[in-house]
Amino acid sequence: MELFDVYSLFDVTPVRGSLCKVWDDRGQEYLDLYGGHAVISVGHSHPDYVKALSSQLERIGFYSNSVRNPLQEELAHRLGEASGYPDYSLFLDNSGAESNENALKLASFHTGRDRVVAFRKSFHGRTSGAVAVTDNPKIVSPFNAVHKVSFCELNDIAAVEAELSRGDVAAVIIEGIQGCGGINMPEAEFMQQLSVLCRKFGTVLVLDEVQSGYGRTGSFFAHQWYGIRPDIITMGKGIANGFPCGGILISPEFQAVKGMLGTTFGGNYLAMAAAIAVLDIMEKENLVANALEVGEYLKASIPASEQIREVRGRGLMLGIEFNGPVAELRRRLLFEKHIFTGVAGSNMVRLLAPLCLTKAEAEQFVNSLKDIL
């Protein structure tokens, strides 16, 4: 049997990692500025993280959500305090796509409505509802296309108001910063007006913080830079540093009904041990502040070049937009300079480093980029 061939693979096989570094099966060291697609938050194989998971596995690894799991309760309390949302409730699942799926379902239950407003260049996941609100025709099958979704341009508040005024929109879903769409930043005034309009028309505001959250932008969630409080916040990726885990924070206005949401693996003991360890390390090592400081240092250090159109983003969620395709540049960074980076579209190098990135490591990337340019 062979693997279903859906990924374009680089000829690199990582076998070991430590914080922002990984090593392949030939012993070559790489600087990881992509974090496995924003998943590695506190660093590869952080010793405290490894200890927490190992210790939990020695006790119990799994049981269903039909029994009480004190680790879920501990995570809910810790996450509420760390994020600034102690009055919200937590529902746990396994991934960012599931989180967005559950958020949209909950919004529809809450409002009794069936239509959603999303944004051009958005990405919210690959499950049925999450795909439907993603602006990428390549991944939307006929089965996904049955959902009632309207797409607006980011930062076009008049277009959003026109949709909401019809009175049938259950939810508006928006990323704190658009990731796969090209590190596109919502304007502060737009986000504030969006929040007001959702309240006015009884529409649930869902903030997708799967990629932009968990300290990546130098605030716990990216939307907190805009001074708003959404109804539902979705999480994934960095929440457990590589162990599959996701969740949604839910406003006190929502009523929980038994059986409304459910999951087999969500909130399992190992995921909770991993997620609690992430919060411990983030607090102990002041990683949210580090993400802002090192990220802004990195952003300011990227050299001016006729090849670079714009550098945008915040903290350690950065995009370098070039005037032409970046495939060859990315290949050279990987195989000549031994640095992992990502892309967004054909012209952007996307940087999503672990939150423990140091200034010295940032300089390593900048110097390597200068050499290639």
Side-chain angles (χ1 to χ4, degrees):
M1 181 182 292
E2 296 181 349
L3 293 172
F4 197 47
D5 189 14
V6 293
Y7 296 116
S8 298
L9 301 178
F10 287 113
D11 186 21
V12 176
T13 307
V15 296
R16 182 168 64 90
S18 177
L19 302 182
C20 292
K21 300 288 181 64
V22 294
W23 289 262
D24 67 14
D25 54 353
R26 292 167 289 195
Q28 177 62 57
E29 178 186 294
Y30 298 82
L31 174 63
D32 184 8
L33 292 188
Y34 196 52
H37 201 74
V39 167
I40 300 300
S41 50
V42 298
H44 293 279
S45 300
H46 190 292
D48 293 351
Y49 176 82
V50 172
K51 181 179 179 181
L53 268 173
S54 301
S55 298
Q56 183 58 50
L57 188 57
E58 289 175 349
R59 295 190 293 274
I60 183 171
F62 181 81
Y63 204 79
S64 78
N65 282 309
S66 63
V67 298
R68 178 171 170 258
N69 181 344
L71 293 179
Q72 293 182 359
E73 298 165 12
E74 180 181 351
L75 178 63
H77 173 73
R78 294 284 306 281
L79 184 54
E81 294 298 320
S83 67
Y85 286 96
D87 56 331
Y88 278 43
S89 300
L90 173 64
F91 177 78
L92 292 156
D93 49 41
N94 307 284
S95 69
E98 283 183 61
S99 297
N100 287 326
E101 197 87 21
N102 282 313
L104 295 174
K105 184 188 296 185
L106 188 57
S108 186
F109 275 130
H110 183 71
T111 62
R113 303 171 184 174
D114 63 354
R115 197 160 71 89
V116 175
V117 169
F119 292 90
R120 294 294 174 195
K121 300 185 179 180
S122 62
F123 186 92
H124 298 288
R126 293 178 179 272
T127 55
S128 185
V131 162
V133 295
T134 290
D135 184 29
N136 184 346
K138 293 180 180 179
I139 66 172
V140 180
S141 74
F143 175 72
N144 304 129
V146 299
H147 298 275
K148 297 178 181 179
V149 181
S150 300
F151 288 93
C152 295
E153 294 293 334
L154 186 66
N155 296 319
D156 187 346
I157 198 64
V160 176
E161 184 170 13
E163 295 290 343
L164 298 189
S165 64
R166 292 169 52 179
D168 62 345
V169 177
V172 173
I173 184 167
I174 186 169
E175 294 161 89
I177 296 176
Q178 288 186 336
C180 294
I183 313 297
N184 300 311
M185 305 275 288
E187 297 170 357
E189 183 179 2
F190 170 78
M191 293 293 272
Q192 291 155 7
Q193 291 177 343
L194 177 62
S195 180
V196 170
L197 285 177
C198 285
R199 296 280 182 221
K200 176 181 177 181
F201 291 105
T203 299
V204 175
L205 178 56
V206 178
L207 245 298
D208 178 345
E209 295 279 10
V210 171
Q211 189 172 136
S212 57
Y214 249 76
R216 177 152 298 281
T217 67
S219 181
F220 199 89
F221 292 123
H223 71 261
Q224 290 169 318
W225 288 104
Y226 311 118
I228 63 171
R229 278 173 70 87
D231 300 297
I232 301 176
I233 304 161
T234 63
M235 304 172 295
K237 294 197 183 295
I239 186 173
N241 201 54
F243 198 98
C245 188
I248 58 177
L249 298 184
I250 305 161
S251 162
E253 297 174 8
F254 289 74
Q255 181 180 1
V257 177
K258 302 297 184 186
M260 174 186 284
L261 302 177
T263 173
T264 297
F265 294 104
N268 68 77
Y269 291 90
L270 292 178
M272 295 300 92
I276 291 168
V278 165
L279 289 178
D280 284 340
I281 296 165
M282 287 175 66
E283 180 180 358
K284 178 182 176 182
E285 300 184 4
N286 205 21
L287 292 186
V288 178
N290 186 74
L292 181 60
E293 180 182 355
V294 177
E296 295 305 303
Y297 173 78
L298 172 56
K299 183 179 179 182
S301 301
I302 291 170
S305 168
E306 292 181 355
Q307 299 176 54
I308 296 176
R309 179 178 299 170
E310 185 181 6
V311 181
R312 56 183 179 265
R314 180 178 275 134
L316 288 174
M317 186 173 183
L318 299 175
I320 309 171
E321 185 178 6
F322 286 78
N323 291 317
V326 297
E328 177 61 16
L329 171 67
R330 188 184 178 208
R331 188 197 67 78
R332 291 187 64 189
L333 282 169
L334 180 62
F335 290 108
E336 294 178 19
K337 303 299 183 179
H338 304 115
I339 299 175
F340 280 102
T341 60
V343 293
S346 61
N347 289 17
M348 174 171 282
V349 171
R350 186 162 41 138
L351 306 179
L352 301 164
L355 307 187
C356 55
L357 187 74
T358 66
K359 287 186 177 179
E361 290 166 334
E363 288 174 357
Q364 179 183 341
F365 167 75
V366 170
N367 291 333
S368 296
L369 182 61
K370 288 178 180 178
D371 286 347
I372 292 176
L373 293 180

